[in-house]
Amino acid sequence: MADLPTSFDHPVRIAVIGGTGLQKLEGYVPIATVNPLTPWGYPSAPIHILEHNKVPVAFLSRHGAYHQIAPHEVPSKANIAALRSIGVRTVIAFSAVGSLQEEIRPRDFVVPDQIIDRTKGIRPFTFFEKGVVGHVGFADPFDAKISKVVSACGHALAGDGVRMHDKGTIICMEGPQFSTRAESNIYRSWGGSVINMSALPEAKLAREAEMVYQMICMATDYDCWHDTADVDVAMVMAHMEANGANAKRLVGSVLDELIKEEHSDLVSGKHWEGQTTGMIQFMTKKEGRGAEGVKNVEFLFPGVFS
Ligand SMILES: CSC[C@H]1O[C@H](OP(=O)(O)O)[C@H](O)[C@@H]1O
Ligand SMILES: Nc1ncnc2[nH]cnc12
């Protein structure tokens, strides 16, 4: 992709963030590679702009181009801000997860509707600081409208062997070590469906940035609560590889659906517009705002304080 343009003049509304085992999206025509510098640095990797049925979509590899970024090191603020700066308002985020429930079998897909935060507070997790205070609602961390579209695409691929679960609670742990057996059993008793290390702070930051955000999970193991073998990286990668074609098929069919004209208001995030900006404008009084916080938030929402 060395000779591709490094800028792109049209807004790109939809992005896919690829996780473990999904470092590229094949089968799309690459048209540009952009690397926006944000107040929080560069994104995990240059963002590939790909064309899908004549509509541009963005792809960003969460752990970098070579899987060199650990879950606690993912620059989520830069990732979300960079995507928003190129026009993205809908993020479909892919994640390899451990299953905490018997009926979610390795290689099954889950469209989660809840998250329990088991990160340790060491990841930068908000855009609103340094003299700009803001509190967004996060009762439902994903986007109910998009989740219906994703579920329907998954069920339509049942004939290809895609098994889709329409809801579930993600336990997002700190990692990078996997859980102890005691932890795994506690998470089950809390009602956790699946476990990963990546849903947060990504989902929180997308909400602060007024973006539509939905994670698609693919189970790669039964963590360590089950009487089968305990999770390890080889197991995760083997299931990702074995079911990679279905993962790509599912992402492709979600993109096919989302680029349809009938979803244009939805993917433009019209229903989130103003939810954050309206709140931060009145939360911190003008006299108390900090210059750095204002400059940072203006990168996300140009003109919000002028
Ligand atoms: C390689 S197993 C643990 C690793 O896999 C998942 O990554 P992602 O969510 O980016 O697909 C999990 O969250 C951990 O980061
Ligand atoms: N068991 C597990 N725990 C945390 N993250 C994971 N990603 C894939 N499997 C996982």
Side-chain angles (χ1 to χ4, degrees):
M1 297 200 188
D3 296 332
L4 289 174
T6 53
S7 63
F8 189 70
D9 288 344
H10 306 282
V12 183
R13 289 289 178 233
I14 307 171
V16 174
I17 298 183
T20 298
L22 197 77
Q23 264 152 251
K24 294 193 205 127
L25 267 194
E26 281 137 24
Y28 301 88
V29 184
I31 50 177
T33 302
V34 298
N35 201 13
L37 179 60
T38 76
W40 303 279
Y42 286 102
S44 296
I47 299 169
H48 297 298
I49 313 288
L50 312 164
E51 209 169 61
H52 192 69
N53 295 346
K54 300 216 160 59
V55 179
V57 296
F59 180 82
L60 172 60
S61 176
R62 181 182 291 121
H63 299 285
Y66 310 97
H67 204 119
Q68 75 276 27
I69 303 174
H72 62 286
E73 297 173 324
V74 172
S76 294
K77 288 166 78 169
N79 287 352
I80 294 296
L83 290 172
R84 191 176 159 101
S85 77
I86 63 166
V88 170
R89 298 294 181 269
T90 289
V91 173
I92 302 296
F94 203 88
S95 177
V97 299
S99 167
L100 297 171
Q101 300 298 334
E102 188 77 53
E103 67 276 13
I104 302 174
R105 306 194 301 232
R107 305 191 193 177
D108 283 6
F109 294 90
V110 181
V111 186
D113 61 332
Q114 279 300 326
I115 310 177
I116 294 174
D117 190 354
R118 281 280 299 160
T119 62
K120 301 277 171 70
I122 61 173
R123 307 176 181 194
F125 50 78
T126 180
F127 289 118
F128 304 135
E129 55 189 358
K130 301 188 172 154
V132 176
V133 176
H135 307 276
V136 294
F138 201 56
D140 293 301
F142 300 107
D143 191 285
K145 295 191 167 109
I146 288 278
S147 80
K148 286 201 181 75
V149 176
V150 175
S151 284
C153 290
H155 291 298
L157 291 171
D160 292 304
V162 169
R163 258 173 56 100
M164 173 63 85
H165 303 264
D166 294 333
K167 53 195 271 190
T169 298
I170 302 182
I171 306 286
C172 183
M173 62 176 294
E174 184 57 56
Q177 304 83 357
F178 292 112
S179 307
T180 65
R181 221 175 299 288
E183 288 165 341
S184 198
N185 281 311
I186 284 176
Y187 300 150
R188 278 167 51 71
S189 76
W190 289 352
S193 313
V194 293
I195 182 161
N196 75 1
M197 305 173 191
S198 305
L200 296 174
E202 207 172 82
K204 288 186 176 177
L205 295 165
R207 176 62 51 83
E208 288 188 345
E210 294 185 349
M211 284 152 93
V212 175
Y213 179 91
Q214 181 62 52
M215 191 159 249
I216 304 180
C217 301
M218 193 190 102
T220 52
D221 53 83
Y222 274 122
D223 201 38
C224 60
W225 62 272
H226 200 263
D227 56 13
T228 50
D230 297 343
V231 59
D232 64 14
V233 164
M235 190 186 292
V236 171
M237 299 315 270
H239 282 294
M240 267 316 297
E241 202 167 314
N243 212 30
N246 268 341
K248 285 177 187 153
R249 210 173 271 142
L250 176 56
V251 172
S253 108
V254 169
L255 291 178
D256 274 345
E257 186 59 32
L258 291 181
I259 63 179
K260 288 183 182 163
E261 187 55 37
E262 67 198 76
H263 296 304
S264 70
D265 275 1
L266 176 57
V267 299
S268 300
K270 297 267 186 245
H271 51 301
W272 291 111
E273 255 174 41
Q275 303 269 340
T276 295
T277 45
M279 173 268 301
I280 52 174
Q281 279 159 345
F282 79 77
M283 188 74 210
T284 305
K285 302 292 164 279
K286 195 169 177 199
E287 309 82 283
R289 284 184 201 141
E292 191 176 348
V294 166
K295 185 171 94 9
N296 291 350
V297 171
E298 284 267 349
F299 181 87
L300 274 185
F301 303 113
V304 66
F305 292 126
S306 42

